[in-house]
Amino acid sequence: CEARGCTWCATDVTNAPWCFFPVDSPYGYSLGENTEKTAHGWRVTLNKRQALSLFGNDISPVMLEVEFQTKDRLRFKVYDPNRQRFEVPLKIDSPGVTADEASYDVE
């Protein structure tokens, strides 16, 4: 864990990871400048942090869309904004709720 640049922190919290990348890790994505409020939630741009890659063929930028669909249901979608891909044609009604009505928090 530590040899890969991760942080090791044993915890008694159920389902919490003991090994994780720190906030200043060169891996992963960071929040871009484009944060947009939509009719049912948020759309944000995520940018790859550095040229390092754990899995290869990383996409940058990546879009993250969050929809507050019902009081108890959150939908998120991560996609490449520059290349269209097949998406399963699944229609899920999105009545939308305001954040103060939801039984969950999003940060």
Side-chain angles (χ1 to χ4, degrees), residues 42-46 62-66 76-79:
W42 294 93
R43 180 180 303 119
V44 297
T45 303
L46 304 175
V62 171
M63 296 301 290
L64 168 64
E65 289 186 6
V66 179
F76 68 92
K77 176 181 175 182
V78 179
Y79 64 95

Side-chain angles (χ1 to χ4, degrees), residues 68-73 95-105:
F68 307 108
Q69 291 198 332
T70 70
K71 180 178 178 237
D72 299 309
R73 184 176 70 210
V97 297
T98 58
D100 58 345
E101 293 175 355
S103 57
Y104 50 83
D105 292 319

Side-chain angles (χ1 to χ4, degrees), residues 13-25:
V13 177
T14 304
N15 297 324
W18 288 22
C19 181
F20 54 89
F21 290 116
V23 173
D24 61 350
S25 170

Side-chain angles (χ1 to χ4, degrees), residues 7 11-13 17 19 27 30 37 47 61 67 77 79-80 84-85 90 99:
T7 299
T11 179
D12 293 331
V13 177
C19 181
Y27 298 109
S30 62
K37 185 163 176 43
N47 296 306
E67 283 187 11
K77 176 181 175 182
Y79 64 95
D80 181 347
Q84 191 171 8
R85 295 176 43 165
L90 177 65

Side-chain angles (χ1 to χ4, degrees), residues 6 11 22 37 48 50 53-54 60 71 78 86 100 102:
C6 297
T11 179
K37 185 163 176 43
K48 191 168 178 326
Q50 289 186 8
S53 176
L54 290 174
S60 187
K71 180 178 178 237
V78 179
F86 173 77
D100 58 345

